[in-house]
């Protein structure tokens, strides 16, 4: 995954259904710390838990490129959704988030939705990157 840190050409990374687990989320967080060219990431059905979301979320709020994140069909609970909600208030480029098939309550999903809705761009924000 170290080559992904500096790859400015890859816009889409679909690595679903590979049973990568939380360790992959840790590695991906290192990638997204420096790679702002990636627009779409799918880690669906990879046995990611709240711990993996926590590692990933610490970097997500600083990433200025990711527009679509697919975390569907994992093992994320309300705790992971709440971590995402706190980060999404600060994340300025994400426009698509898929959490389908996780163990998340309606209350936690509402918090995620509210966090996404709470962000309103201001004049000082750079425009989002163009779609690929």
């Amino acid at each position: 995954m170290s080559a992904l840190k500096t790859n400015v050409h890859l816009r889409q990374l679909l690595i679903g259904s590979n049973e990568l687990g939380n360790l992959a989320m840790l590695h991906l967080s290192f990638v997204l710390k420096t790679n702002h060219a990636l627009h779409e990431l799918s880690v669906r059905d990879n046995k990611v838990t709240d711990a993996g979301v926590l590692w990933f979320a610490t970097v997500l709020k600083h990433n200025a490129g990711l527009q679509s994140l697919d975390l569907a069909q994992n093992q994320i609970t309300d705790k992971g959704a709440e971590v995402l909600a706190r980060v999404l208030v600060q994340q300025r480029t994400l426009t698509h988030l898929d959490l389908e098939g996780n163990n998340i309550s309606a209350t936690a999903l509402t918090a995620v939705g509210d966090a996404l809705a709470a962000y309103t761009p201001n004049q000082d924000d750079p425009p989002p990157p163009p779609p690929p």
Side-chain angles (χ1 to χ4, degrees):
M1 284 207 196
S2 62
L4 290 174
K5 288 182 184 180
T6 57
N7 186 317
V8 296
H9 303 290
L10 185 66
R11 301 281 186 252
Q12 182 182 57
L13 181 60
L14 310 175
I15 52 175
S17 302
N18 284 297
E19 298 186 14
L20 298 174
N22 291 330
L23 189 56
M25 296 303 281
L26 178 61
H27 290 294
L28 285 169
S29 69
F30 290 126
V31 167
L32 289 181
K33 190 171 186 175
T34 57
N35 183 324
H36 298 265
L38 193 63
H39 292 258
E40 181 180 354
L41 175 62
S42 175
V43 287
R44 72 173 23 244
D45 190 27
N46 267 304
K47 298 186 178 181
V48 174
T49 68
D50 297 332
V53 170
L54 179 62
W55 287 331
F56 191 74
T58 58
V59 174
L60 183 61
K61 64 183 171 186
H62 301 291
N63 182 278
L66 196 62
Q67 297 172 4
S68 177
L69 178 59
D70 183 354
L71 292 169
Q73 306 298 326
N74 280 292
Q75 300 167 3
I76 302 167
T77 68
D78 286 1
K79 184 177 177 182
E82 290 163 5
V83 167
L84 281 173
R86 285 193 299 273
V87 168
L88 291 173
V89 172
Q90 302 168 45
Q91 216 289 340
R92 299 172 187 240
T93 59
L94 200 66
T95 58
H96 176 87
L97 175 63
D98 191 345
L99 293 170
E100 173 192 16
N102 285 286
N103 191 21
I104 303 171
S105 70
T107 303
L109 284 175
T110 299
V112 170
D114 290 347
L116 287 169
Y119 173 69
T120 305
N122 64 46
Q123 293 174 333
D124 298 330
D125 290 335

